[in-house]
Protein backbone atom coordinates (compact mmCIF):
# COMPACT_ATOMS: atom_id res chain seq x y z
CA UNK A 1 0.00 0.00 0.00
CA UNK A 2 1.30 3.45 -0.89
CA UNK A 3 2.12 5.84 1.91
CA UNK A 4 1.70 9.49 0.99
CA UNK A 5 3.20 12.18 3.17
CA UNK A 6 2.70 15.91 2.80
CA UNK A 7 4.47 18.81 4.37
CA UNK A 8 3.83 21.18 5.89
CA UNK A 9 0.48 20.26 7.47
CA UNK A 10 -0.34 23.92 8.01
CA UNK A 11 1.08 27.00 6.33
CA UNK A 12 0.26 30.65 6.88
CA UNK A 13 1.86 33.22 4.60
CA UNK A 14 1.47 36.81 3.52
CA UNK A 15 -0.07 37.80 0.23
CA UNK A 16 2.52 37.78 -2.53
CA UNK A 17 4.77 35.13 -1.01
CA UNK A 18 6.02 32.14 -2.98
CA UNK A 19 4.49 28.96 -1.59
CA UNK A 20 5.84 25.42 -1.75
CA UNK A 21 4.01 22.30 -0.62
CA UNK A 22 5.81 18.97 -0.69
CA UNK A 23 4.59 15.44 -1.21
CA UNK A 24 6.42 12.13 -1.01
CA UNK A 25 5.16 8.65 -1.67
CA UNK A 26 6.55 5.21 -1.01
CA UNK A 27 5.59 3.10 -4.01
CA UNK A 28 5.93 3.73 -7.74
CA UNK A 29 2.85 5.27 -9.28
CA UNK A 30 1.24 5.92 -12.64
CA UNK A 31 0.41 9.55 -11.86
CA UNK A 32 0.53 12.08 -9.05
CA UNK A 33 -2.49 14.30 -8.50
CA UNK A 34 -2.69 17.68 -6.82
CA UNK A 35 -6.15 18.62 -5.60
CA UNK A 36 -7.64 21.70 -3.98
CA UNK A 37 -10.40 21.64 -1.40
CA UNK A 38 -12.09 24.79 -0.11
CA UNK A 39 -13.89 24.75 3.27
CA UNK A 40 -17.31 23.23 2.78
CA UNK A 41 -16.58 22.81 -0.88
CA UNK A 42 -15.82 20.00 -3.19
CA UNK A 43 -12.49 18.82 -4.48
CA UNK A 44 -11.05 20.26 -7.65
CA UNK A 45 -8.30 18.58 -9.58
CA UNK A 46 -5.41 20.99 -10.19
CA UNK A 47 -2.80 18.80 -11.84
CA UNK A 48 -2.14 15.25 -12.81
CA UNK A 49 1.44 14.52 -13.73
CA UNK A 50 3.60 11.50 -14.31
CA UNK A 51 6.87 13.26 -15.11
CA UNK A 52 8.52 16.66 -15.28
CA UNK A 53 6.60 19.82 -14.63
CA UNK A 54 3.24 21.40 -15.36
CA UNK A 55 2.15 25.02 -15.07
CA UNK A 56 -1.27 26.56 -14.92
CA UNK A 57 -1.47 30.25 -14.20
CA UNK A 58 0.32 30.90 -10.90
CA UNK A 59 0.46 27.21 -10.04
CA UNK A 60 3.38 24.96 -10.87
CA UNK A 61 3.68 21.25 -10.10
CA UNK A 62 6.84 19.21 -10.41
CA UNK A 63 7.59 15.55 -9.89
CA UNK A 64 10.78 13.55 -9.48
CA UNK A 65 9.94 9.93 -10.20
CA UNK A 66 13.30 8.57 -9.00
CA UNK A 67 12.99 10.32 -5.64
CA UNK A 68 9.22 9.68 -5.38
CA UNK A 69 8.65 13.33 -4.60
CA UNK A 70 6.44 16.10 -5.94
CA UNK A 71 6.06 19.77 -5.15
CA UNK A 72 3.28 22.26 -5.71
CA UNK A 73 4.31 25.90 -5.98
CA UNK A 74 2.14 28.99 -5.92
CA UNK A 75 3.68 32.23 -7.15
CA UNK A 76 2.39 35.66 -6.07
CA UNK A 77 0.03 34.04 -3.57
CA UNK A 78 -3.36 35.63 -2.96
CA UNK A 79 -5.94 35.23 -0.16
CA UNK A 80 -8.22 33.37 -2.57
CA UNK A 81 -5.56 30.64 -2.73
CA UNK A 82 -6.43 29.78 0.88
CA UNK A 83 -7.60 26.16 0.85
CA UNK A 84 -6.49 22.65 1.66
CA UNK A 85 -4.12 21.23 -0.95
CA UNK A 86 -4.04 17.46 -1.21
CA UNK A 87 -1.64 15.28 -3.09
CA UNK A 88 -2.74 11.84 -4.17
CA UNK A 89 -0.78 8.97 -5.63
CA UNK A 90 -2.49 7.19 -8.48
CA UNK A 91 -2.05 3.48 -8.95
CA UNK A 92 -3.87 0.93 -11.04
CA UNK A 93 -7.16 1.71 -9.37
CA UNK A 94 -7.98 4.48 -6.95
CA UNK A 95 -5.94 7.21 -5.35
CA UNK A 96 -4.06 7.19 -2.08
CA UNK A 97 -4.32 10.60 -0.52
CA UNK A 98 -2.07 12.61 1.72
CA UNK A 99 -3.67 14.32 4.72
CA UNK A 100 -3.55 17.69 3.03
CA UNK A 101 -1.83 21.01 3.64
CA UNK A 102 -4.01 23.73 5.10
CA UNK A 103 -2.86 26.98 3.46
CA UNK A 104 -3.90 30.42 4.66
CA UNK A 105 -2.80 33.51 2.74
CA UNK A 106 -3.23 36.67 4.75
CA UNK A 107 -3.79 40.02 3.01
CA UNK B 1 -22.28 19.11 -19.56
CA UNK B 2 -22.89 18.67 -15.89
CA UNK B 3 -20.19 17.55 -13.54
CA UNK B 4 -20.39 14.74 -11.02
CA UNK B 5 -23.42 15.07 -8.78
CA UNK B 6 -24.17 13.39 -5.48
CA UNK B 7 -27.37 13.09 -3.53
CA UNK B 8 -28.29 13.79 -0.87
CA UNK B 9 -25.86 16.54 0.05
CA UNK B 10 -26.50 15.87 3.73
CA UNK B 11 -27.88 12.82 5.45
CA UNK B 12 -28.55 12.51 9.16
CA UNK B 13 -29.52 9.08 10.41
CA UNK B 14 -29.69 7.12 13.61
CA UNK B 15 -27.31 4.39 14.62
CA UNK B 16 -28.42 1.06 13.20
CA UNK B 17 -30.29 2.47 10.21
CA UNK B 18 -29.66 1.74 6.54
CA UNK B 19 -28.59 4.51 4.14
CA UNK B 20 -28.05 4.83 0.42
CA UNK B 21 -25.84 7.48 -1.17
CA UNK B 22 -26.11 8.18 -4.87
CA UNK B 23 -23.52 9.30 -7.40
CA UNK B 24 -24.20 10.48 -10.95
CA UNK B 25 -20.92 10.54 -12.85
CA UNK B 26 -20.07 12.63 -15.86
CA UNK B 27 -21.82 11.17 -18.87
CA UNK B 28 -19.60 8.71 -20.71
CA UNK B 29 -17.12 8.22 -17.88
CA UNK B 30 -16.46 4.53 -17.47
CA UNK B 31 -14.53 4.72 -14.21
CA UNK B 32 -16.23 5.63 -10.94
CA UNK B 33 -14.63 5.88 -7.51
CA UNK B 34 -16.00 6.19 -3.99
CA UNK B 35 -13.91 7.78 -1.25
CA UNK B 36 -14.57 8.67 2.37
CA UNK B 37 -13.17 11.71 4.16
CA UNK B 38 -13.27 12.01 7.91
CA UNK B 39 -12.92 15.39 9.59
CA UNK B 40 -9.39 16.74 9.32
CA UNK B 41 -8.17 13.82 7.21
CA UNK B 42 -7.46 13.26 3.56
CA UNK B 43 -9.91 11.11 1.62
CA UNK B 44 -9.50 7.35 1.68
CA UNK B 45 -10.31 4.97 -1.12
CA UNK B 46 -13.36 2.73 -0.78
CA UNK B 47 -14.19 1.15 -4.13
CA UNK B 48 -13.54 1.55 -7.85
CA UNK B 49 -15.83 0.58 -10.72
CA UNK B 50 -14.84 0.09 -14.31
CA UNK B 51 -18.13 -0.09 -16.14
CA UNK B 52 -20.62 -2.16 -14.19
CA UNK B 53 -18.13 -4.23 -12.24
CA UNK B 54 -16.24 -3.42 -9.09
CA UNK B 55 -12.62 -3.58 -10.20
CA UNK B 56 -11.33 -3.06 -6.67
CA UNK B 57 -13.36 -3.03 -3.46
CA UNK B 58 -10.42 -3.46 -1.12
CA UNK B 59 -11.10 -0.13 0.60
CA UNK B 60 -14.55 -1.03 1.89
CA UNK B 61 -14.09 -1.16 5.68
CA UNK B 62 -16.37 -4.14 6.35
CA UNK B 63 -19.34 -6.06 5.00
CA UNK B 64 -21.81 -3.39 6.10
CA UNK B 65 -20.65 -1.38 3.10
CA UNK B 66 -21.71 -2.30 -0.41
CA UNK B 67 -21.82 -0.43 -3.71
CA UNK B 68 -23.46 -1.10 -7.04
CA UNK B 69 -23.38 0.34 -10.52
CA UNK B 70 -25.87 -1.83 -12.40
CA UNK B 71 -25.91 0.01 -15.72
CA UNK B 72 -22.39 1.39 -15.72
CA UNK B 73 -23.50 4.92 -14.96
CA UNK B 74 -25.16 5.87 -11.66
CA UNK B 75 -23.70 4.24 -8.57
CA UNK B 76 -25.20 3.73 -5.13
CA UNK B 77 -23.16 3.25 -1.97
CA UNK B 78 -25.14 1.32 0.62
CA UNK B 79 -24.38 1.20 4.32
CA UNK B 80 -26.20 -1.22 6.59
CA UNK B 81 -26.55 -0.96 10.38
CA UNK B 82 -24.83 2.42 10.44
CA UNK B 83 -22.46 3.22 13.27
CA UNK B 84 -21.35 6.59 14.62
CA UNK B 85 -17.89 5.94 13.17
CA UNK B 86 -19.41 5.93 9.69
CA UNK B 87 -19.96 9.68 9.97
CA UNK B 88 -17.89 11.32 7.23
CA UNK B 89 -18.12 12.99 3.85
CA UNK B 90 -18.53 10.40 1.13
CA UNK B 91 -16.99 11.54 -2.14
CA UNK B 92 -17.57 10.18 -5.60
CA UNK B 93 -15.32 10.79 -8.59
CA UNK B 94 -15.43 9.72 -12.20
CA UNK B 95 -12.95 9.60 -15.03
CA UNK B 96 -12.88 8.50 -18.63
CA UNK B 97 -10.95 5.46 -17.54
CA UNK B 98 -7.49 4.38 -16.54
CA UNK B 99 -5.12 5.65 -13.93
CA UNK B 100 -3.74 8.32 -16.27
CA UNK B 101 -7.05 10.13 -16.54
CA UNK B 102 -8.09 13.07 -14.39
CA UNK B 103 -10.68 12.26 -11.77
CA UNK B 104 -13.56 14.71 -11.42
CA UNK B 105 -15.02 14.89 -7.96
CA UNK B 106 -18.59 15.40 -6.85
CA UNK B 107 -19.50 17.74 -3.98
CA UNK B 108 -19.81 14.86 -1.54
CA UNK B 109 -22.52 13.63 0.81
CA UNK B 110 -22.06 14.51 4.45
CA UNK B 111 -23.32 11.57 6.51
CA UNK B 112 -23.96 12.05 10.21
CA UNK B 113 -24.88 9.03 12.31
CA UNK B 114 -26.37 10.00 15.66
Amino acid sequence: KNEVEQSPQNLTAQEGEFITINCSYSVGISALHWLQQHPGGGIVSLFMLSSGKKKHGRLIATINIQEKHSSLHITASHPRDSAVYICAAGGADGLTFGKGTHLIIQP
Amino acid sequence: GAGVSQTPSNKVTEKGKYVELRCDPISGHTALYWYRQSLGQGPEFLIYFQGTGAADDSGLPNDRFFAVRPEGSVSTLKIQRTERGDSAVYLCASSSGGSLNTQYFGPGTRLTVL
Side-chain angles (χ1 to χ4, degrees), chain B residues 10-36:
Chain B
N10 282 283
K11 176 71 177 177
V12 180
T13 191
E14 293 179 342
K15 180 174 178 293
K17 298 290 188 183
Y18 168 82
V19 296
E20 289 190 352
L21 311 179
R22 176 186 167 112
C23 172
D24 280 83
I26 291 173
S27 178
H29 278 189
T30 57
L32 186 146
Y33 306 81
W34 282 99
Y35 301 96
R36 178 170 71 171

PDB file of all heavy atoms in Angstrom, chain B residues 10-36:
ATOM      1  N   ASN B  10     -26.631  16.161   2.300  1.00  0.00           N
ATOM      2  CA  ASN B  10     -26.499  15.875   3.725  1.00  0.00           C
ATOM      3  C   ASN B  10     -27.467  14.775   4.100  1.00  0.00           C
ATOM      4  O   ASN B  10     -28.593  14.738   3.609  1.00  0.00           O
ATOM      5  CB  ASN B  10     -26.831  17.109   4.571  1.00  0.00           C
ATOM      6  CG  ASN B  10     -25.684  18.099   4.601  1.00  0.00           C
ATOM      7  OD1 ASN B  10     -24.713  17.906   5.303  1.00  0.00           O
ATOM      8  ND2 ASN B  10     -25.816  19.146   3.817  1.00  0.00           N
ATOM      9  N   LYS B  11     -27.021  13.884   4.970  1.00  0.00           N
ATOM     10  CA  LYS B  11     -27.881  12.824   5.454  1.00  0.00           C
ATOM     11  C   LYS B  11     -27.607  12.625   6.938  1.00  0.00           C
ATOM     12  O   LYS B  11     -26.471  12.370   7.342  1.00  0.00           O
ATOM     13  CB  LYS B  11     -27.607  11.528   4.693  1.00  0.00           C
ATOM     14  CG  LYS B  11     -28.384  10.326   5.181  1.00  0.00           C
ATOM     15  CD  LYS B  11     -29.844  10.413   4.842  1.00  0.00           C
ATOM     16  CE  LYS B  11     -30.603   9.170   5.281  1.00  0.00           C
ATOM     17  NZ  LYS B  11     -32.065   9.302   5.005  1.00  0.00           N
ATOM     18  N   VAL B  12     -28.658  12.776   7.739  1.00  0.00           N
ATOM     19  CA  VAL B  12     -28.554  12.507   9.165  1.00  0.00           C
ATOM     20  C   VAL B  12     -29.391  11.269   9.453  1.00  0.00           C
ATOM     21  O   VAL B  12     -30.549  11.192   9.050  1.00  0.00           O
ATOM     22  CB  VAL B  12     -29.052  13.697  10.000  1.00  0.00           C
ATOM     23  CG1 VAL B  12     -28.934  13.378  11.485  1.00  0.00           C
ATOM     24  CG2 VAL B  12     -28.269  14.953   9.665  1.00  0.00           C
ATOM     25  N   THR B  13     -28.811  10.310  10.122  1.00  0.00           N
ATOM     26  CA  THR B  13     -29.518   9.082  10.413  1.00  0.00           C
ATOM     27  C   THR B  13     -29.184   8.620  11.824  1.00  0.00           C
ATOM     28  O   THR B  13     -28.281   9.151  12.480  1.00  0.00           O
ATOM     29  CB  THR B  13     -29.158   7.988   9.385  1.00  0.00           C
ATOM     30  OG1 THR B  13     -30.044   6.886   9.529  1.00  0.00           O
ATOM     31  CG2 THR B  13     -27.719   7.499   9.590  1.00  0.00           C
ATOM     32  N   GLU B  14     -29.934   7.658  12.272  1.00  0.00           N
ATOM     33  CA  GLU B  14     -29.695   7.121  13.611  1.00  0.00           C
ATOM     34  C   GLU B  14     -28.880   5.840  13.514  1.00  0.00           C
ATOM     35  O   GLU B  14     -28.987   5.090  12.524  1.00  0.00           O
ATOM     36  CB  GLU B  14     -31.016   6.838  14.309  1.00  0.00           C
ATOM     37  CG  GLU B  14     -31.815   8.093  14.622  1.00  0.00           C
ATOM     38  CD  GLU B  14     -33.140   7.764  15.290  1.00  0.00           C
ATOM     39  OE1 GLU B  14     -33.588   6.608  15.213  1.00  0.00           O
ATOM     40  OE2 GLU B  14     -33.723   8.684  15.893  1.00  0.00           O
ATOM     41  N   LYS B  15     -28.121   5.610  14.535  1.00  0.00           N
ATOM     42  CA  LYS B  15     -27.312   4.393  14.622  1.00  0.00           C
ATOM     43  C   LYS B  15     -28.182   3.172  14.355  1.00  0.00           C
ATOM     44  O   LYS B  15     -29.291   3.059  14.876  1.00  0.00           O
ATOM     45  CB  LYS B  15     -26.681   4.317  16.016  1.00  0.00           C
ATOM     46  CG  LYS B  15     -25.804   3.118  16.290  1.00  0.00           C
ATOM     47  CD  LYS B  15     -25.156   3.281  17.658  1.00  0.00           C
ATOM     48  CE  LYS B  15     -24.304   2.091  18.017  1.00  0.00           C
ATOM     49  NZ  LYS B  15     -25.062   0.848  18.226  1.00  0.00           N
ATOM     50  N   GLY B  16     -27.689   2.284  13.501  1.00  0.00           N
ATOM     51  CA  GLY B  16     -28.416   1.057  13.199  1.00  0.00           C
ATOM     52  C   GLY B  16     -29.255   1.124  11.938  1.00  0.00           C
ATOM     53  O   GLY B  16     -29.706   0.085  11.430  1.00  0.00           O
ATOM     54  N   LYS B  17     -29.467   2.328  11.416  1.00  0.00           N
ATOM     55  CA  LYS B  17     -30.290   2.467  10.215  1.00  0.00           C
ATOM     56  C   LYS B  17     -29.492   2.155   8.953  1.00  0.00           C
ATOM     57  O   LYS B  17     -28.255   2.128   8.955  1.00  0.00           O
ATOM     58  CB  LYS B  17     -30.835   3.893  10.125  1.00  0.00           C
ATOM     59  CG  LYS B  17     -31.745   4.296  11.262  1.00  0.00           C
ATOM     60  CD  LYS B  17     -33.073   3.596  11.226  1.00  0.00           C
ATOM     61  CE  LYS B  17     -34.024   4.186  12.267  1.00  0.00           C
ATOM     62  NZ  LYS B  17     -35.316   3.478  12.302  1.00  0.00           N
ATOM     63  N   TYR B  18     -30.236   2.004   7.862  1.00  0.00           N
ATOM     64  CA  TYR B  18     -29.655   1.739   6.541  1.00  0.00           C
ATOM     65  C   TYR B  18     -29.691   3.029   5.718  1.00  0.00           C
ATOM     66  O   TYR B  18     -30.681   3.758   5.756  1.00  0.00           O
ATOM     67  CB  TYR B  18     -30.491   0.649   5.873  1.00  0.00           C
ATOM     68  CG  TYR B  18     -30.242   0.427   4.398  1.00  0.00           C
ATOM     69  CD1 TYR B  18     -29.180  -0.346   3.966  1.00  0.00           C
ATOM     70  CD2 TYR B  18     -31.093   0.977   3.451  1.00  0.00           C
ATOM     71  CE1 TYR B  18     -28.961  -0.576   2.622  1.00  0.00           C
ATOM     72  CE2 TYR B  18     -30.891   0.759   2.096  1.00  0.00           C
ATOM     73  CZ  TYR B  18     -29.824  -0.027   1.689  1.00  0.00           C
ATOM     74  OH  TYR B  18     -29.605  -0.246   0.347  1.00  0.00           O
ATOM     75  N   VAL B  19     -28.605   3.314   4.997  1.00  0.00           N
ATOM     76  CA  VAL B  19     -28.586   4.508   4.145  1.00  0.00           C
ATOM     77  C   VAL B  19     -28.071   4.165   2.752  1.00  0.00           C
ATOM     78  O   VAL B  19     -27.291   3.222   2.571  1.00  0.00           O
ATOM     79  CB  VAL B  19     -27.714   5.646   4.739  1.00  0.00           C
ATOM     80  CG1 VAL B  19     -28.282   6.131   6.052  1.00  0.00           C
ATOM     81  CG2 VAL B  19     -26.268   5.221   4.877  1.00  0.00           C
ATOM     82  N   GLU B  20     -28.531   4.945   1.797  1.00  0.00           N
ATOM     83  CA  GLU B  20     -28.047   4.831   0.418  1.00  0.00           C
ATOM     84  C   GLU B  20     -27.580   6.203  -0.042  1.00  0.00           C
ATOM     85  O   GLU B  20     -28.288   7.198   0.137  1.00  0.00           O
ATOM     86  CB  GLU B  20     -29.168   4.342  -0.515  1.00  0.00           C
ATOM     87  CG  GLU B  20     -29.555   2.902  -0.322  1.00  0.00           C
ATOM     88  CD  GLU B  20     -30.481   2.408  -1.419  1.00  0.00           C
ATOM     89  OE1 GLU B  20     -30.936   3.232  -2.237  1.00  0.00           O
ATOM     90  OE2 GLU B  20     -30.758   1.188  -1.452  1.00  0.00           O
ATOM     91  N   LEU B  21     -26.415   6.243  -0.644  1.00  0.00           N
ATOM     92  CA  LEU B  21     -25.840   7.476  -1.166  1.00  0.00           C
ATOM     93  C   LEU B  21     -25.681   7.293  -2.676  1.00  0.00           C
ATOM     94  O   LEU B  21     -25.167   6.276  -3.128  1.00  0.00           O
ATOM     95  CB  LEU B  21     -24.484   7.762  -0.517  1.00  0.00           C
ATOM     96  CG  LEU B  21     -24.435   7.669   1.018  1.00  0.00           C
ATOM     97  CD1 LEU B  21     -23.017   7.960   1.518  1.00  0.00           C
ATOM     98  CD2 LEU B  21     -25.428   8.592   1.671  1.00  0.00           C
ATOM     99  N   ARG B  22     -26.083   8.319  -3.412  1.00  0.00           N
ATOM    100  CA  ARG B  22     -26.105   8.177  -4.874  1.00  0.00           C
ATOM    101  C   ARG B  22     -25.050   9.054  -5.528  1.00  0.00           C
ATOM    102  O   ARG B  22     -24.800  10.173  -5.075  1.00  0.00           O
ATOM    103  CB  ARG B  22     -27.492   8.565  -5.389  1.00  0.00           C
ATOM    104  CG  ARG B  22     -27.656   8.553  -6.896  1.00  0.00           C
ATOM    105  CD  ARG B  22     -29.019   9.081  -7.302  1.00  0.00           C
ATOM    106  NE  ARG B  22     -29.088   9.375  -8.728  1.00  0.00           N
ATOM    107  CZ  ARG B  22     -29.827   8.695  -9.585  1.00  0.00           C
ATOM    108  NH1 ARG B  22     -30.567   7.672  -9.179  1.00  0.00           N
ATOM    109  NH2 ARG B  22     -29.833   9.028 -10.867  1.00  0.00           N
ATOM    110  N   CYS B  23     -24.489   8.543  -6.612  1.00  0.00           N
ATOM    111  CA  CYS B  23     -23.519   9.297  -7.399  1.00  0.00           C
ATOM    112  C   CYS B  23     -23.894   9.229  -8.872  1.00  0.00           C
ATOM    113  O   CYS B  23     -24.081   8.133  -9.423  1.00  0.00           O
ATOM    114  CB  CYS B  23     -22.109   8.741  -7.199  1.00  0.00           C
ATOM    115  SG  CYS B  23     -20.868   9.465  -8.303  1.00  0.00           S
ATOM    116  N   ASP B  24     -23.991  10.409  -9.501  1.00  0.00           N
ATOM    117  CA  ASP B  24     -24.202  10.480 -10.946  1.00  0.00           C
ATOM    118  C   ASP B  24     -22.898  10.974 -11.581  1.00  0.00           C
ATOM    119  O   ASP B  24     -22.553  12.152 -11.439  1.00  0.00           O
ATOM    120  CB  ASP B  24     -25.323  11.464 -11.276  1.00  0.00           C
ATOM    121  CG  ASP B  24     -26.690  10.878 -11.076  1.00  0.00           C
ATOM    122  OD1 ASP B  24     -27.157  10.877  -9.923  1.00  0.00           O
ATOM    123  OD2 ASP B  24     -27.258  10.415 -12.069  1.00  0.00           O
ATOM    124  N   PRO B  25     -22.205  10.118 -12.278  1.00  0.00           N
ATOM    125  CA  PRO B  25     -20.916  10.538 -12.845  1.00  0.00           C
ATOM    126  C   PRO B  25     -21.116  11.389 -14.095  1.00  0.00           C
ATOM    127  O   PRO B  25     -22.239  11.555 -14.586  1.00  0.00           O
ATOM    128  CB  PRO B  25     -20.271   9.204 -13.218  1.00  0.00           C
ATOM    129  CG  PRO B  25     -21.432   8.326 -13.568  1.00  0.00           C
ATOM    130  CD  PRO B  25     -22.541   8.738 -12.630  1.00  0.00           C
ATOM    131  N   ILE B  26     -20.042  11.921 -14.584  1.00  0.00           N
ATOM    132  CA  ILE B  26     -20.073  12.634 -15.858  1.00  0.00           C
ATOM    133  C   ILE B  26     -20.439  11.635 -16.958  1.00  0.00           C
ATOM    134  O   ILE B  26     -19.894  10.515 -16.990  1.00  0.00           O
ATOM    135  CB  ILE B  26     -18.722  13.307 -16.129  1.00  0.00           C
ATOM    136  CG1 ILE B  26     -18.501  14.451 -15.136  1.00  0.00           C
ATOM    137  CG2 ILE B  26     -18.624  13.809 -17.567  1.00  0.00           C
ATOM    138  CD1 ILE B  26     -17.136  15.097 -15.194  1.00  0.00           C
ATOM    139  N   SER B  27     -21.334  12.057 -17.827  1.00  0.00           N
ATOM    140  CA  SER B  27     -21.817  11.168 -18.873  1.00  0.00           C
ATOM    141  C   SER B  27     -20.655  10.636 -19.721  1.00  0.00           C
ATOM    142  O   SER B  27     -19.790  11.394 -20.171  1.00  0.00           O
ATOM    143  CB  SER B  27     -22.794  11.931 -19.770  1.00  0.00           C
ATOM    144  OG  SER B  27     -23.239  11.113 -20.829  1.00  0.00           O
ATOM    145  N   GLY B  28     -20.651   9.326 -19.892  1.00  0.00           N
ATOM    146  CA  GLY B  28     -19.601   8.714 -20.708  1.00  0.00           C
ATOM    147  C   GLY B  28     -18.383   8.249 -19.944  1.00  0.00           C
ATOM    148  O   GLY B  28     -17.546   7.526 -20.487  1.00  0.00           O
ATOM    149  N   HIS B  29     -18.267   8.662 -18.679  1.00  0.00           N
ATOM    150  CA  HIS B  29     -17.124   8.221 -17.884  1.00  0.00           C
ATOM    151  C   HIS B  29     -17.318   6.769 -17.460  1.00  0.00           C
ATOM    152  O   HIS B  29     -18.311   6.406 -16.841  1.00  0.00           O
ATOM    153  CB  HIS B  29     -16.953   9.113 -16.649  1.00  0.00           C
ATOM    154  CG  HIS B  29     -16.222  10.378 -16.946  1.00  0.00           C
ATOM    155  ND1 HIS B  29     -15.795  11.239 -15.946  1.00  0.00           N
ATOM    156  CD2 HIS B  29     -15.818  10.927 -18.109  1.00  0.00           C
ATOM    157  CE1 HIS B  29     -15.164  12.258 -16.508  1.00  0.00           C
ATOM    158  NE2 HIS B  29     -15.161  12.100 -17.809  1.00  0.00           N
ATOM    159  N   THR B  30     -16.340   5.951 -17.776  1.00  0.00           N
ATOM    160  CA  THR B  30     -16.462   4.530 -17.472  1.00  0.00           C
ATOM    161  C   THR B  30     -15.973   4.189 -16.069  1.00  0.00           C
ATOM    162  O   THR B  30     -16.403   3.205 -15.479  1.00  0.00           O
ATOM    163  CB  THR B  30     -15.655   3.696 -18.484  1.00  0.00           C
ATOM    164  OG1 THR B  30     -14.287   4.132 -18.451  1.00  0.00           O
ATOM    165  CG2 THR B  30     -16.213   3.871 -19.896  1.00  0.00           C
ATOM    166  N   ALA B  31     -15.086   4.999 -15.545  1.00  0.00           N
ATOM    167  CA  ALA B  31     -14.535   4.717 -14.212  1.00  0.00           C
ATOM    168  C   ALA B  31     -15.241   5.558 -13.160  1.00  0.00           C
ATOM    169  O   ALA B  31     -15.488   6.758 -13.369  1.00  0.00           O
ATOM    170  CB  ALA B  31     -13.040   5.003 -14.190  1.00  0.00           C
ATOM    171  N   LEU B  32     -15.553   4.928 -12.043  1.00  0.00           N
ATOM    172  CA  LEU B  32     -16.226   5.628 -10.938  1.00  0.00           C
ATOM    173  C   LEU B  32     -15.594   5.183  -9.631  1.00  0.00           C
ATOM    174  O   LEU B  32     -15.350   3.988  -9.420  1.00  0.00           O
ATOM    175  CB  LEU B  32     -17.729   5.323 -10.950  1.00  0.00           C
ATOM    176  CG  LEU B  32     -18.593   6.085  -9.933  1.00  0.00           C
ATOM    177  CD1 LEU B  32     -19.975   6.362 -10.527  1.00  0.00           C
ATOM    178  CD2 LEU B  32     -18.707   5.358  -8.612  1.00  0.00           C
ATOM    179  N   TYR B  33     -15.337   6.140  -8.764  1.00  0.00           N
ATOM    180  CA  TYR B  33     -14.635   5.885  -7.510  1.00  0.00           C
ATOM    181  C   TYR B  33     -15.463   6.415  -6.344  1.00  0.00           C
ATOM    182  O   TYR B  33     -16.069   7.487  -6.434  1.00  0.00           O
ATOM    183  CB  TYR B  33     -13.282   6.609  -7.489  1.00  0.00           C
ATOM    184  CG  TYR B  33     -12.383   6.319  -8.667  1.00  0.00           C
ATOM    185  CD1 TYR B  33     -12.557   6.973  -9.876  1.00  0.00           C
ATOM    186  CD2 TYR B  33     -11.334   5.405  -8.559  1.00  0.00           C
ATOM    187  CE1 TYR B  33     -11.722   6.716 -10.953  1.00  0.00           C
ATOM    188  CE2 TYR B  33     -10.495   5.150  -9.635  1.00  0.00           C
ATOM    189  CZ  TYR B  33     -10.694   5.812 -10.823  1.00  0.00           C
ATOM    190  OH  TYR B  33      -9.854   5.565 -11.891  1.00  0.00           O
ATOM    191  N   TRP B  34     -15.443   5.699  -5.259  1.00  0.00           N
ATOM    192  CA  TRP B  34     -15.999   6.185  -3.994  1.00  0.00           C
ATOM    193  C   TRP B  34     -14.845   6.348  -2.997  1.00  0.00           C
ATOM    194  O   TRP B  34     -13.981   5.466  -2.866  1.00  0.00           O
ATOM    195  CB  TRP B  34     -17.007   5.206  -3.404  1.00  0.00           C
ATOM    196  CG  TRP B  34     -18.362   5.221  -4.043  1.00  0.00           C
ATOM    197  CD1 TRP B  34     -18.858   4.363  -4.978  1.00  0.00           C
ATOM    198  CD2 TRP B  34     -19.421   6.149  -3.771  1.00  0.00           C
ATOM    199  NE1 TRP B  34     -20.145   4.686  -5.306  1.00  0.00           N
ATOM    200  CE2 TRP B  34     -20.530   5.786  -4.579  1.00  0.00           C
ATOM    201  CE3 TRP B  34     -19.560   7.259  -2.921  1.00  0.00           C
ATOM    202  CZ2 TRP B  34     -21.739   6.466  -4.571  1.00  0.00           C
ATOM    203  CZ3 TRP B  34     -20.758   7.937  -2.903  1.00  0.00           C
ATOM    204  CH2 TRP B  34     -21.834   7.541  -3.724  1.00  0.00           C
ATOM    205  N   TYR B  35     -14.879   7.492  -2.303  1.00  0.00           N
ATOM    206  CA  TYR B  35     -13.907   7.780  -1.250  1.00  0.00           C
ATOM    207  C   TYR B  35     -14.665   8.237  -0.014  1.00  0.00           C
ATOM    208  O   TYR B  35     -15.809   8.680  -0.090  1.00  0.00           O
ATOM    209  CB  TYR B  35     -12.941   8.895  -1.669  1.00  0.00           C
ATOM    210  CG  TYR B  35     -12.145   8.622  -2.920  1.00  0.00           C
ATOM    211  CD1 TYR B  35     -12.580   9.099  -4.156  1.00  0.00           C
ATOM    212  CD2 TYR B  35     -10.955   7.897  -2.868  1.00  0.00           C
ATOM    213  CE1 TYR B  35     -11.842   8.859  -5.311  1.00  0.00           C
ATOM    214  CE2 TYR B  35     -10.213   7.658  -4.022  1.00  0.00           C
ATOM    215  CZ  TYR B  35     -10.669   8.141  -5.232  1.00  0.00           C
ATOM    216  OH  TYR B  35      -9.931   7.903  -6.365  1.00  0.00           O
ATOM    217  N   ARG B  36     -13.979   8.176   1.128  1.00  0.00           N
ATOM    218  CA  ARG B  36     -14.565   8.671   2.374  1.00  0.00           C
ATOM    219  C   ARG B  36     -13.559   9.602   3.030  1.00  0.00           C
ATOM    220  O   ARG B  36     -12.362   9.304   3.085  1.00  0.00           O
ATOM    221  CB  ARG B  36     -14.868   7.494   3.309  1.00  0.00           C
ATOM    222  CG  ARG B  36     -15.429   7.884   4.640  1.00  0.00           C
ATOM    223  CD  ARG B  36     -15.924   6.684   5.409  1.00  0.00           C
ATOM    224  NE  ARG B  36     -14.875   5.818   5.890  1.00  0.00           N
ATOM    225  CZ  ARG B  36     -15.088   4.808   6.738  1.00  0.00           C
ATOM    226  NH1 ARG B  36     -16.321   4.553   7.150  1.00  0.00           N
ATOM    227  NH2 ARG B  36     -14.093   4.037   7.140  1.00  0.00           N
TER     228      ARG B  36
END
